[in-house]
Coordinates of all heavy atoms in Angstrom, one line a residue:
M521 N 70.4 84.0 107.9 CA 70.0 85.2 108.7 C 70.5 85.0 110.1 O 70.8 86.0 110.8 CB 68.5 85.5 108.5 CG 68.1 86.7 109.1 SD 68.8 88.1 108.2 CE 67.8 89.4 108.8
D522 N 70.4 83.8 110.6 CA 70.8 83.5 112.0 C 72.3 83.8 112.2 O 72.6 84.3 113.3 CB 70.5 82.1 112.3 CG 70.4 81.8 113.8 OD1 70.0 82.7 114.5 OD2 70.7 80.7 114.2
F523 N 73.1 83.6 111.2 CA 74.5 83.9 111.3 C 74.7 85.4 111.6 O 75.6 85.8 112.4 CB 75.2 83.5 110.0 CG 76.6 84.0 110.0 CD1 77.6 83.4 110.7 CD2 77.0 85.1 109.1 CE1 78.9 83.9 110.7 CE2 78.3 85.5 109.1 CZ 79.3 84.9 109.8
L524 N 74.0 86.3 110.9 CA 74.1 87.7 111.1 C 73.7 88.2 112.5 O 74.2 89.1 113.0 CB 73.3 88.5 110.0 CG 73.9 88.3 108.6 CD1 72.9 89.0 107.6 CD2 75.3 88.9 108.5
I525 N 72.7 87.6 113.0 CA 72.2 87.9 114.3 C 73.1 87.5 115.4 O 73.3 88.2 116.4 CB 70.8 87.3 114.5 CG1 69.8 87.9 113.5 CG2 70.3 87.5 116.0 CD1 68.4 87.3 113.5
S526 N 73.8 86.3 115.2 CA 74.6 85.8 116.3 C 76.1 86.3 116.1 O 76.9 86.0 117.0 CB 74.6 84.3 116.2 OG 75.2 83.8 115.0
T527 N 76.4 87.1 115.1 CA 77.8 87.5 114.9 C 78.1 88.6 115.9 O 77.3 89.6 116.1 CB 78.0 88.1 113.5 OG1 77.7 87.0 112.6 CG2 79.4 88.6 113.3
K528 N 79.3 88.5 116.5 CA 79.7 89.5 117.5 C 80.8 90.4 116.9 O 81.8 89.8 116.3 CB 80.2 88.9 118.8 CG 79.2 88.1 119.5 CD 79.7 87.4 120.7 CE 78.6 86.7 121.4 NZ 79.1 85.8 122.4
F529 N 80.7 91.7 116.9 CA 81.7 92.6 116.3 C 82.1 93.5 117.4 O 81.3 94.2 118.1 CB 81.1 93.3 115.1 CG 82.0 94.4 114.6 CD1 83.1 94.0 113.9 CD2 81.8 95.7 114.8 CE1 84.0 95.0 113.4 CE2 82.6 96.7 114.3 CZ 83.7 96.3 113.6
C530 N 83.4 93.6 117.6 CA 84.0 94.5 118.6 C 85.1 95.3 118.0 O 86.1 94.8 117.6 CB 84.5 93.7 119.8 SG 85.1 94.7 121.1
A531 N 84.8 96.6 117.9 CA 85.8 97.6 117.5 C 85.9 98.7 118.5 O 84.9 99.1 119.1 CB 85.4 98.1 116.1
P532 N 87.1 99.2 118.7 CA 87.3 100.3 119.7 C 86.5 101.5 119.2 O 86.4 101.8 118.0 CB 88.8 100.6 119.7 CG 89.4 99.4 119.1 CD 88.4 98.8 118.2
L533 N 85.9 102.2 120.2 CA 85.1 103.3 119.9 C 85.8 104.5 119.2 O 85.3 105.1 118.3 CB 84.4 103.8 121.2 CG 83.3 104.9 121.0 CD1 82.2 104.4 120.1 CD2 82.8 105.3 122.4
Y534 N 87.1 104.6 119.6 CA 87.9 105.7 118.9 C 88.2 105.4 117.5 O 88.3 106.3 116.7 CB 89.2 106.0 119.7 CG 90.2 105.0 119.6 CD1 91.2 105.1 118.7 CD2 90.3 103.9 120.5 CE1 92.2 104.1 118.6 CE2 91.3 103.0 120.5 CZ 92.3 103.1 119.5 OH 93.3 102.1 119.4
H535 N 88.2 104.1 117.1 CA 88.4 103.7 115.7 C 87.1 104.1 114.9 O 87.2 104.7 113.8 CB 88.6 102.2 115.5 CG 89.9 101.7 115.8 ND1 90.3 100.4 115.7 CD2 91.0 102.4 116.3 CE1 91.6 100.3 116.0 NE2 92.0 101.4 116.4
I536 N 86.0 103.8 115.5 CA 84.8 104.2 114.8 C 84.6 105.7 114.7 O 84.2 106.2 113.7 CB 83.6 103.5 115.5 CG1 83.7 102.0 115.4 CG2 82.2 104.0 115.0 CD1 82.7 101.3 116.3
G537 N 85.0 106.4 115.8 CA 85.0 107.9 115.7 C 85.9 108.5 114.7 O 85.5 109.4 114.0
I538 N 87.1 107.9 114.6 CA 88.0 108.4 113.5 C 87.5 108.1 112.1 O 87.5 109.0 111.3 CB 89.4 107.8 113.7 CG1 90.1 108.3 115.0 CG2 90.3 108.0 112.5 CD1 91.3 107.5 115.4
L539 N 86.9 106.9 112.0 CA 86.3 106.6 110.7 C 85.1 107.5 110.3 O 85.0 108.0 109.2 CB 85.8 105.2 110.7 CG 85.1 104.7 109.4 CD1 86.1 104.6 108.2 CD2 84.5 103.3 109.6
L540 N 84.3 107.8 111.3 CA 83.1 108.7 111.1 C 83.5 110.2 111.0 O 82.7 111.0 110.5 CB 82.1 108.5 112.2 CG 81.4 107.2 112.3 CD1 80.5 107.1 113.5 CD2 80.6 107.0 111.0
L541 N 84.7 110.5 111.3 CA 85.2 111.8 111.1 C 85.9 112.0 109.8 O 85.7 113.0 109.1 CB 86.2 112.2 112.3 CG 86.8 113.6 112.2 CD1 85.7 114.6 112.6 CD2 87.9 113.7 113.2
I542 N 86.8 111.1 109.4 CA 87.6 111.2 108.2 C 86.7 111.0 106.9 O 86.9 111.8 106.0 CB 88.7 110.2 108.2 CG1 89.7 110.6 109.3 CG2 89.4 110.2 106.8 CD1 90.9 109.6 109.4
T543 N 85.8 110.0 107.0 CA 85.0 109.8 105.8 C 84.2 110.9 105.3 O 84.2 111.3 104.1 CB 84.2 108.5 106.0 OG1 85.0 107.4 106.3 CG2 83.4 108.2 104.7
P544 N 83.3 111.6 106.2 CA 82.6 112.7 105.7 C 83.4 113.9 105.3 O 83.1 114.6 104.4 CB 81.7 113.1 106.9 CG 81.7 111.9 107.8 CD 82.9 111.2 107.5
I545 N 84.5 114.1 106.0 CA 85.4 115.2 105.6 C 86.0 115.0 104.2 O 86.0 115.9 103.4 CB 86.5 115.4 106.7 CG1 85.9 116.0 108.0 CG2 87.6 116.3 106.2 CD1 86.9 116.0 109.1
S546 N 86.4 113.8 103.9 CA 86.9 113.5 102.6 C 85.8 113.7 101.5 O 86.1 114.2 100.4 CB 87.6 112.1 102.5 OG 86.6 111.1 102.7
L547 N 84.6 113.3 101.8 CA 83.5 113.5 100.9 C 83.2 115.0 100.7 O 82.8 115.4 99.6 CB 82.3 112.7 101.3 CG 82.5 111.2 101.3 CD1 81.2 110.5 101.8 CD2 82.8 110.7 99.9
L548 N 83.2 115.7 101.8 CA 82.9 117.2 101.7 C 83.9 117.9 100.9 O 83.6 118.9 100.2 CB 82.9 117.8 103.1 CG 81.6 117.5 103.9 CD1 81.8 118.0 105.3 CD2 80.4 118.0 103.2
F549 N 85.2 117.5 100.9 CA 86.2 118.1 100.1 C 86.4 117.5 98.7 O 87.3 117.8 98.0 CB 87.6 118.0 100.8 CG 87.7 119.0 102.0 CD1 87.6 118.6 103.3 CD2 87.7 120.4 101.7 CE1 87.7 119.5 104.3 CE2 87.8 121.3 102.8 CZ 87.8 120.8 104.1
G550 N 85.4 116.7 98.3 CA 85.4 116.2 97.0 C 86.4 115.1 96.7 O 86.9 114.9 95.6
R551 N 86.7 114.3 97.7 CA 87.7 113.2 97.6 C 87.0 111.9 97.9 O 87.4 111.2 98.9 CB 88.9 113.4 98.5 CG 89.6 114.8 98.3 CD 90.4 114.8 97.1 NE 91.4 113.8 97.2 CZ 92.5 113.8 96.5 NH1 92.8 114.8 95.7 NH2 93.4 112.8 96.6
P552 N 86.1 111.4 97.1 CA 85.4 110.1 97.4 C 86.3 108.9 97.4 O 86.1 108.0 98.1 CB 84.3 110.0 96.3 CG 84.8 110.9 95.2 CD 85.6 112.0 95.8
R553 N 87.3 108.9 96.5 CA 88.3 107.8 96.5 C 89.0 107.7 97.8 O 89.3 106.6 98.3 CB 89.2 107.9 95.3 CG 88.5 107.7 94.0 CD 89.5 107.8 92.9 NE 88.8 107.7 91.6 CZ 89.4 107.9 90.5 NH1 90.7 108.1 90.4 NH2 88.7 107.7 89.4
L554 N 89.4 108.8 98.4 CA 90.1 108.8 99.7 C 89.2 108.3 100.7 O 89.6 107.5 101.6 CB 90.6 110.2 100.0 CG 91.3 110.4 101.3 CD1 92.6 109.6 101.3 CD2 91.6 111.8 101.6
G555 N 87.9 108.7 100.7 CA 87.0 108.2 101.7 C 86.8 106.7 101.6 O 86.7 105.9 102.6
L556 N 86.7 106.2 100.3 CA 86.6 104.7 100.1 C 87.8 104.0 100.6 O 87.8 102.9 101.2 CB 86.3 104.5 98.6 CG 86.1 103.0 98.2 CD1 84.9 102.5 98.9 CD2 86.0 103.0 96.7
F557 N 89.0 104.6 100.3 CA 90.2 104.0 100.7 C 90.4 103.9 102.2 O 90.8 102.9 102.8 CB 91.4 104.7 100.1 CG 92.8 104.0 100.4 CD1 93.1 102.9 99.8 CD2 93.6 104.6 101.3 CE1 94.3 102.2 100.1 CE2 94.8 104.0 101.6 CZ 95.2 102.8 101.0
V558 N 90.0 105.0 102.9 CA 90.0 105.0 104.4 C 89.1 103.9 104.9 O 89.4 103.2 105.9 CB 89.6 106.4 104.9 CG1 89.3 106.4 106.4 CG2 90.7 107.4 104.6
N559 N 87.9 103.7 104.3 CA 87.0 102.7 104.8 C 87.6 101.3 104.5 O 87.5 100.4 105.4 CB 85.7 102.8 104.0 CG 84.8 103.8 104.7 OD1 84.3 103.6 105.7 ND2 84.6 104.9 104.0
F560 N 88.3 101.1 103.4 CA 89.0 99.8 103.1 C 90.0 99.5 104.2 O 90.1 98.4 104.8 CB 89.7 99.9 101.8 CG 88.9 99.5 100.6 CD1 89.2 100.0 99.4 CD2 87.8 98.6 100.7 CE1 88.4 99.7 98.3 CE2 87.0 98.3 99.6 CZ 87.4 98.9 98.4
V561 N 90.8 100.6 104.6 CA 91.8 100.4 105.6 C 91.2 100.0 106.9 O 91.7 99.1 107.6 CB 92.7 101.6 105.7 CG1 93.6 101.6 106.9 CG2 93.5 101.8 104.4
F562 N 90.2 100.7 107.3 CA 89.6 100.4 108.6 C 89.0 99.0 108.6 O 89.2 98.2 109.6 CB 88.6 101.4 109.0 CG 89.1 102.6 109.7 CD1 89.5 103.8 109.1 CD2 89.3 102.6 111.1 CE1 90.0 104.8 109.7 CE2 89.9 103.6 111.8 CZ 90.2 104.8 111.1
F563 N 88.3 98.6 107.6 CA 87.6 97.3 107.6 C 88.6 96.2 107.5 O 88.5 95.2 108.2 CB 86.6 97.2 106.5 CG 85.4 98.1 106.7 CD1 84.9 98.9 105.7 CD2 84.7 98.1 107.9 CE1 83.9 99.8 105.9 CE2 83.7 98.9 108.1 CZ 83.2 99.8 107.1
L564 N 89.7 96.4 106.7 CA 90.7 95.4 106.7 C 91.5 95.3 108.0 O 91.8 94.2 108.5 CB 91.7 95.7 105.6 CG 91.1 95.4 104.2 CD1 92.1 95.9 103.1 CD2 90.8 94.0 104.0
Y565 N 91.7 96.4 108.7 CA 92.3 96.4 110.0 C 91.5 95.6 111.0 O 92.0 94.7 111.7 CB 92.6 97.8 110.5 CG 93.2 97.8 111.9 CD1 94.6 97.5 112.0 CD2 92.4 98.0 113.0 CE1 95.1 97.5 113.3 CE2 93.0 97.9 114.3 CZ 94.3 97.7 114.4 OH 94.9 97.6 115.7
W566 N 90.2 95.9 111.0 CA 89.3 95.2 111.9 C 89.2 93.7 111.6 O 89.1 92.9 112.5 CB 87.9 95.8 111.9 CG 87.8 97.2 112.5 CD1 88.6 97.7 113.5 CD2 86.9 98.2 112.2 NE1 88.3 99.0 113.7 CE2 87.2 99.3 113.0 CE3 85.8 98.3 111.3 CZ2 86.4 100.5 112.9 CZ3 85.1 99.5 111.2 CH2 85.4 100.6 112.0
A567 N 89.2 93.4 110.4 CA 89.0 92.0 110.0 C 90.3 91.2 110.1 O 90.3 90.0 110.5 CB 88.5 91.9 108.5
Y568 N 91.4 91.8 109.8 CA 92.7 91.0 109.7 C 93.6 91.2 110.9 O 94.2 90.3 111.4 CB 93.4 91.4 108.4 CG 92.7 90.9 107.2 CD1 91.9 91.7 106.5 CD2 92.8 89.6 106.8 CE1 91.2 91.3 105.4 CE2 92.1 89.1 105.7 CZ 91.3 90.0 105.0 OH 90.6 89.6 103.9
I569 N 93.7 92.4 111.4 CA 94.6 92.7 112.5 C 93.9 92.5 113.8 O 94.4 91.9 114.7 CB 95.3 94.1 112.4 CG1 95.9 94.3 111.0 CG2 96.2 94.3 113.5 CD1 97.0 93.3 110.6
G570 N 92.7 93.1 113.9 CA 92.0 93.0 115.1 C 91.6 91.6 115.5 O 91.5 91.2 116.7
D571 N 91.2 90.7 114.5 CA 90.8 89.4 114.8 C 91.9 88.4 114.4 O 91.6 87.2 114.1 CB 89.5 89.0 114.0 CG 88.3 89.7 114.6 OD1 88.4 90.1 115.8 OD2 87.4 89.9 113.9
R572 N 93.2 88.8 114.5 CA 94.3 87.9 114.1 C 94.3 86.6 114.9 O 94.5 85.6 114.3 CB 95.6 88.7 114.2 CG 96.8 87.9 113.7 CD 98.0 88.7 114.0 NE 98.0 89.2 115.4 CZ 98.7 90.2 115.8 NH1 99.4 90.9 115.0 NH2 98.6 90.5 117.1
Q573 N 94.1 86.7 116.2 CA 94.2 85.6 117.0 C 93.2 84.5 116.6 O 93.4 83.3 116.5 CB 94.1 86.0 118.5 CG 94.3 84.8 119.4 CD 94.2 85.2 120.9 OE1 93.9 86.4 121.2 NE2 94.4 84.3 121.8
Y574 N 91.9 85.0 116.4 CA 90.9 84.1 116.0 C 91.2 83.5 114.7 O 91.0 82.3 114.5 CB 89.5 84.9 116.0 CG 88.4 84.0 115.5 CD1 87.8 83.1 116.3 CD2 88.0 84.1 114.2 CE1 86.8 82.3 115.8 CE2 86.9 83.4 113.7 CZ 86.3 82.4 114.5 OH 85.3 81.7 114.0
I575 N 91.7 84.2 113.7 CA 91.9 83.7 112.4 C 93.0 82.7 112.4 O 92.9 81.6 111.8 CB 92.3 84.9 111.4 CG1 91.1 85.8 111.2 CG2 92.8 84.3 110.1 CD1 91.5 87.0 110.5
L576 N 94.1 82.9 113.2 CA 95.2 82.0 113.2 C 94.9 80.7 114.0 O 95.4 79.7 113.7 CB 96.4 82.7 113.8 CG 97.0 83.8 112.9 CD1 98.2 84.5 113.6 CD2 97.4 83.3 111.6
E577 N 94.0 80.8 115.0 CA 93.7 79.7 115.8 C 92.5 78.9 115.3 O 92.6 77.7 115.0 CB 93.5 80.1 117.3 CG 94.7 80.6 118.0 CD 94.4 81.1 119.4 OE1 93.2 81.0 119.8 OE2 95.3 81.6 120.0
E578 N 91.4 79.6 115.1 CA 90.2 78.9 114.7 C 90.2 78.5 113.2 O 89.8 77.4 112.9 CB 88.9 79.8 115.0 CG 88.7 80.1 116.5 CD 88.3 78.9 117.3 OE1 87.6 78.0 116.7 OE2 88.7 78.8 118.5
G579 N 90.7 79.4 112.4 CA 90.7 79.1 111.0 C 91.7 78.1 110.6 O 91.4 77.3 109.7
S580 N 92.8 78.0 111.2 CA 93.8 77.0 110.9 C 93.4 75.6 111.4 O 94.0 74.6 110.9 CB 95.2 77.4 111.4 OG 95.2 77.4 112.8
Q581 N 92.4 75.5 112.2 CA 92.0 74.2 112.7 C 91.2 73.4 111.6 O 91.3 72.2 111.5 CB 91.1 74.3 113.9 CG 91.8 74.7 115.2 CD 90.9 74.8 116.3 OE1 89.7 74.7 116.2 NE2 91.4 75.2 117.5
S582 N 90.5 74.2 110.7 CA 89.7 73.5 109.7 C 90.6 73.3 108.4 O 90.6 72.2 107.9 CB 88.5 74.3 109.3 OG 88.9 75.6 109.0
V583 N 91.3 74.3 108.0 CA 92.2 74.2 106.8 C 93.5 74.9 107.1 O 93.5 76.0 107.6 CB 91.5 74.9 105.6 CG1 92.3 74.8 104.4 CG2 90.1 74.2 105.3
E584 N 94.6 74.3 106.8 CA 95.9 74.8 107.1 C 96.2 76.1 106.3 O 96.8 77.0 106.8 CB 97.0 73.8 106.7 CG 97.6 72.9 107.7 CD 97.9 73.5 109.0 OE1 98.8 74.4 109.1 OE2 97.3 73.1 110.0
I585 N 95.7 76.2 105.1 CA 96.1 77.4 104.2 C 95.1 78.5 104.5 O 95.3 79.6 103.9 CB 96.1 77.0 102.8 CG1 96.8 78.0 101.9 CG2 94.7 76.7 102.2 CD1 97.2 77.5 100.6
F586 N 94.1 78.4 105.3 CA 93.1 79.4 105.5 C 93.6 80.7 105.9 O 93.3 81.8 105.3 CB 92.0 78.9 106.5 CG 91.0 80.0 106.9 CD1 90.0 80.3 106.0 CD2 91.1 80.6 108.1 CE1 89.1 81.3 106.3 CE2 90.2 81.6 108.4 CZ 89.2 81.9 107.5
P587 N 94.5 80.8 106.9 CA 95.0 82.2 107.3 C 95.7 82.9 106.2 O 95.6 84.1 106.0 CB 95.9 81.9 108.5 CG 95.5 80.6 109.0 CD 95.0 79.8 107.9
W588 N 96.5 82.1 105.4 CA 97.3 82.7 104.3 C 96.4 83.2 103.2 O 96.6 84.2 102.6 CB 98.3 81.7 103.8 CG 99.4 81.5 104.8 CD1 99.5 80.3 105.6 CD2 100.4 82.4 105.3 NE1 100.5 80.5 106.5 CE2 101.1 81.7 106.3 CE3 100.8 83.6 104.9 CZ2 102.2 82.3 106.9 CZ3 101.9 84.2 105.6 CH2 102.6 83.5 106.6
A589 N 95.4 82.4 102.9 CA 94.4 82.8 101.8 C 93.6 84.0 102.3 O 93.4 84.9 101.5 CB 93.5 81.6 101.5
Y590 N 93.2 84.0 103.5 CA 92.5 85.1 104.1 C 93.3 86.4 104.0 O 92.8 87.4 103.6 CB 92.1 84.8 105.5 CG 91.0 85.6 106.1 CD1 89.7 85.5 105.7 CD2 91.3 86.5 107.2 CE1 88.7 86.3 106.3 CE2 90.3 87.2 107.8 CZ 89.0 87.1 107.3 OH 88.1 87.9 107.9
F591 N 94.5 86.3 104.5 CA 95.4 87.5 104.4 C 95.7 87.9 103.0 O 95.7 89.1 102.7 CB 96.7 87.2 105.2 CG 97.6 88.4 105.2 CD1 97.3 89.5 106.0 CD2 98.7 88.4 104.5 CE1 98.1 90.6 106.1 CE2 99.6 89.5 104.5 CZ 99.3 90.6 105.3
G592 N 95.9 86.9 102.1 CA 96.2 87.3 100.7 C 95.0 88.0 100.0 O 95.2 88.9 99.2
F593 N 93.8 87.5 100.4 CA 92.6 88.2 99.8 C 92.5 89.6 100.3 O 92.2 90.5 99.5 CB 91.3 87.4 100.3 CG 90.1 88.0 99.7 CD1 89.8 87.8 98.4 CD2 89.2 88.6 100.5 CE1 88.6 88.3 97.8 CE2 88.0 89.1 100.0 CZ 87.7 89.0 98.7
G594 N 92.9 89.9 101.6 CA 92.9 91.3 102.1 C 93.9 92.1 101.4 O 93.7 93.3 101.1
V595 N 95.1 91.6 101.1 CA 96.1 92.3 100.4 C 95.7 92.6 98.9 O 95.9 93.8 98.5 CB 97.5 91.5 100.3 CG1 98.5 92.1 99.4 CG2 98.1 91.4 101.7
V596 N 95.0 91.7 98.3 CA 94.5 92.0 96.9 C 93.5 93.1 97.0 O 93.5 94.0 96.1 CB 93.9 90.7 96.3 CG1 93.1 91.0 95.1 CG2 95.0 89.7 96.0
I597 N 92.6 93.1 98.0 CA 91.6 94.2 98.1 C 92.3 95.5 98.3 O 91.9 96.6 97.8 CB 90.6 93.9 99.2 CG1 89.7 92.7 98.8 CG2 89.8 95.1 99.6 CD1 88.8 92.3 99.9
M598 N 93.4 95.5 99.2 CA 94.1 96.7 99.4 C 94.8 97.2 98.1 O 94.8 98.4 97.9 CB 95.2 96.5 100.5 CG 95.9 97.7 100.9 SD 95.0 98.9 101.7 CE 94.8 98.2 103.3
L599 N 95.3 96.3 97.3 CA 96.0 96.7 96.1 C 94.9 97.3 95.1 O 95.2 98.3 94.4 CB 96.7 95.6 95.4 CG 97.9 95.1 96.2 CD1 98.5 93.8 95.5 CD2 99.0 96.2 96.2
F600 N 93.7 96.7 95.1 CA 92.7 97.3 94.2 C 92.3 98.7 94.7 O 92.0 99.6 93.9 CB 91.4 96.4 94.2 CG 91.5 95.2 93.4 CD1 90.9 94.1 93.7 CD2 92.2 95.3 92.2 CE1 91.0 92.9 92.9 CE2 92.3 94.2 91.4 CZ 91.7 93.0 91.7
G601 N 92.3 98.9 96.0 CA 92.0 100.3 96.5 C 93.1 101.3 96.1 O 92.8 102.4 95.8
I602 N 94.3 100.9 96.2 CA 95.4 101.8 95.8 C 95.4 102.0 94.3 O 95.6 103.1 93.8 CB 96.8 101.2 96.2 CG1 96.9 101.2 97.7 CG2 97.9 101.9 95.6 CD1 98.1 100.4 98.3
L603 N 95.1 101.0 93.5 CA 94.9 101.1 92.1 C 93.8 102.1 91.7 O 93.9 102.8 90.7 CB 94.7 99.8 91.4 CG 94.6 99.7 89.9 CD1 95.9 100.0 89.3 CD2 94.1 98.3 89.5
A604 N 92.8 102.1 92.5 CA 91.7 103.0 92.2 C 92.1 104.5 92.2 O 91.4 105.3 91.5 CB 90.5 102.8 93.2
F605 N 93.1 104.8 92.9 CA 93.6 106.2 92.9 C 94.2 106.6 91.6 O 94.2 107.8 91.2 CB 94.7 106.4 94.0 CG 94.1 106.7 95.4 CD1 94.3 105.7 96.4 CD2 93.4 107.8 95.7 CE1 93.8 105.9 97.6 CE2 92.9 108.0 96.9 CZ 93.1 107.1 97.9
Y606 N 94.7 105.7 90.8 CA 95.4 106.0 89.6 C 94.5 105.9 88.4 O 94.9 106.2 87.3 CB 96.6 105.1 89.4 CG 97.6 105.3 90.5 CD1 97.8 104.4 91.5 CD2 98.4 106.5 90.5 CE1 98.7 104.7 92.5 CE2 99.3 106.7 91.5 CZ 99.5 105.8 92.5 OH 100.4 106.0 93.5
V607 N 93.3 105.3 88.5 CA 92.3 105.2 87.4 C 91.5 106.5 87.3 O 91.0 107.0 88.3 CB 91.4 104.0 87.6 CG1 90.4 103.9 86.5 CG2 92.2 102.7 87.7
R608 N 91.5 107.0 86.1 CA 90.7 108.3 85.9 C 89.5 108.0 84.9 O 89.7 107.3 84.0 CB 91.6 109.3 85.3 CG 92.7 109.7 86.2 CD 93.0 111.2 86.0 NE 94.1 111.6 86.9 CZ 93.9 112.4 87.9 NH1 92.7 112.9 88.1 NH2 94.9 112.7 88.7
N609 N 88.4 108.6 85.2 CA 87.2 108.6 84.4 C 86.9 109.9 83.9 O 85.8 110.4 84.2 CB 86.1 107.9 85.1 CG 86.3 106.5 85.5 OD1 87.0 105.8 84.8 ND2 85.6 106.0 86.5
D610 N 87.8 110.6 83.2 CA 87.5 112.0 82.7 C 86.6 112.0 81.5 O 86.5 111.4 80.6 CB 88.8 112.6 82.3 CG 89.6 112.9 83.6 OD1 89.1 113.0 84.7 OD2 90.9 112.9 83.5

């Protein structure tokens, strides 16, 4: 629990505003998969692109393969999000 309290998260306010605008609009128009995909994109951007310097410097000090595994995991999540557009539950 102490980890969650001491974690610092910094995202630009306009990113959060765009996310809070697009997600409800996609849900109102009956596109929940689009809203989920938009959330995936924003969270992956904040985690992988926004903190790229920290990941490449701090993460590679402990394990050399950490940045590549971290980025690979993000790509797999993105592929699952894209795949969800093609799965139908009729």
Side-chain angles (χ1 to χ4, degrees):
M521 188 67 164
D522 198 29
F523 170 75
L524 292 175
I525 294 171
S526 65
T527 301
K528 295 178 183 171
F529 174 73
C530 182
L533 189 59
Y534 72 93
H535 282 184
I536 296 172
I538 292 171
L539 178 66
L540 291 175
L541 182 72
I542 293 175
T543 302
I545 289 173
S546 66
L547 293 174
L548 285 173
F549 285 109
R551 306 287 299 204
R553 290 182 184 175
L554 179 63
L556 184 62
F557 184 72
V558 167
N559 280 288
F560 276 151
V561 169
F562 271 95
F563 291 131
L564 288 174
Y565 177 80
W566 290 332
Y568 292 96
I569 307 300
D571 288 339
R572 181 184 53 204
Q573 184 179 5
Y574 175 77
I575 292 169
L576 294 177
E577 292 176 2
E578 298 291 326
S580 61
Q581 289 177 357
S582 58
V583 179
E584 265 315 298
I585 199 165
F586 174 76
W588 294 104
Y590 194 69
F591 182 72
F593 184 72
V595 169
V596 168
I597 291 174
M598 183 68 75
L599 291 175
F600 282 147
I602 292 170
L603 181 67
F605 277 113
Y606 296 105
V607 176
R608 297 213 178 251
N609 293 335
D610 292 335

